[in-house]
Coordinates of all heavy atoms in Angstrom, one line a residue:
M695 N 89.5 116.7 100.5 CA 90.3 117.6 101.4 C 91.1 116.7 102.4 O 90.6 115.7 102.8 CB 89.4 118.5 102.2 CG 88.6 119.5 101.4 SD 89.7 120.7 100.8 CE 89.3 122.1 101.7
E701 N 94.8 122.1 109.3 CA 94.2 123.0 108.2 C 93.8 122.1 107.1 O 94.5 121.2 106.6 CB 95.2 124.0 107.7 CG 95.5 125.0 108.8 CD 96.4 126.1 108.2 OE1 96.4 126.4 107.0 OE2 97.3 126.7 108.9
E704 N 93.8 121.0 99.8 CA 93.5 120.2 98.6 C 94.7 119.4 98.1 O 95.3 119.7 97.1 CB 93.1 121.1 97.4 CG 91.7 121.7 97.6 CD 90.6 120.7 97.5 OE1 90.8 119.6 97.0 OE2 89.5 121.1 98.0
G707 N 95.1 112.9 96.1 CA 95.7 112.4 94.8 C 97.2 112.8 94.7 O 97.8 112.3 93.7
T709 N 101.2 112.8 96.3 CA 102.0 112.0 97.2 C 102.4 112.8 98.4 O 102.4 114.1 98.3 CB 103.2 111.4 96.6 OG1 104.1 112.4 96.2 CG2 102.9 110.5 95.3
E711 N 105.4 113.2 99.4 CA 106.6 113.9 98.9 C 106.2 115.1 98.1 O 106.8 116.2 98.3 CB 107.4 112.9 98.0 CG 108.7 113.6 97.5 CD 109.6 112.6 96.8 OE1 109.3 112.5 95.6 OE2 110.4 112.0 97.4
Q720 N 111.8 120.8 103.9 CA 113.0 120.0 103.6 C 112.8 118.6 104.1 O 112.7 118.4 105.3 CB 114.3 120.6 104.2 CG 114.6 122.0 103.6 CD 115.8 122.6 104.3 OE1 116.5 122.0 105.0 NE2 115.9 123.9 104.1
V724 N 112.1 116.7 108.4 CA 110.7 116.5 108.9 C 110.4 115.1 109.3 O 111.1 114.2 108.8 CB 109.7 117.0 107.9 CG1 109.8 118.5 107.6 CG2 109.7 116.2 106.6
A725 N 109.4 114.9 110.1 CA 108.8 113.6 110.3 C 107.3 113.8 110.0 O 106.7 114.9 110.2 CB 108.9 113.2 111.8
N729 N 97.5 109.7 109.6 CA 96.4 109.0 110.3 C 96.9 108.4 111.6 O 96.6 107.2 111.8 CB 95.7 108.0 109.3 CG 95.1 108.7 108.1 OD1 94.6 109.8 108.2 ND2 95.2 108.1 107.0
L733 N 105.0 107.8 109.3 CA 105.2 107.3 108.0 C 106.7 107.3 107.7 O 107.4 108.4 107.8 CB 104.5 108.2 107.0 CG 104.5 107.8 105.5 CD1 103.7 106.5 105.3 CD2 104.0 108.9 104.6
Q737 N 108.6 105.9 102.3 CA 107.3 105.7 101.7 C 106.7 107.1 101.3 O 105.6 107.1 100.8 CB 106.4 105.1 102.7 CG 106.8 103.6 103.0 CD 105.8 103.0 104.0 OE1 104.7 103.4 104.3 NE2 106.2 101.8 104.5
E740 N 105.7 107.2 97.5 CA 104.7 106.2 97.1 C 103.4 106.3 97.8 O 102.4 105.7 97.3 CB 105.3 104.8 97.2 CG 105.6 104.4 98.6 CD 106.4 103.1 98.7 OE1 107.4 103.0 98.0 OE2 106.0 102.3 99.5
T741 N 103.3 107.1 98.8 CA 102.1 107.2 99.6 C 101.2 108.3 99.0 O 101.6 109.5 99.1 CB 102.3 107.5 101.1 OG1 103.1 106.4 101.6 CG2 101.1 107.6 101.9
D747 N 92.2 112.0 104.9 CA 93.5 111.8 105.6 C 93.8 112.9 106.5 O 93.5 114.1 106.2 CB 94.6 111.6 104.6 CG 94.7 110.2 104.0 OD1 94.0 109.3 104.5 OD2 95.4 110.0 103.0
E750 N 100.2 115.2 110.0 CA 100.9 116.1 110.9 C 102.4 116.1 110.4 O 103.0 115.0 110.3 CB 100.8 115.6 112.4 CG 99.5 115.8 113.0 CD 99.0 117.2 113.1 OE1 99.8 118.1 113.4 OE2 97.8 117.4 113.0
V751 N 102.9 117.3 110.2 CA 104.3 117.4 109.8 C 105.0 118.1 110.9 O 104.7 119.2 111.3 CB 104.4 118.2 108.5 CG1 105.9 118.4 108.1 CG2 103.6 117.6 107.3

Side-chain angles (χ1 to χ4, degrees):
M695 295 291 251
E701 295 183 29
E704 287 291 342
T709 66
E711 182 175 88
Q720 295 178 15
V724 298
N729 300 323
L733 185 66
Q737 294 180 13
E740 62 192 46
T741 301
D747 280 345
E750 291 293 325
V751 180

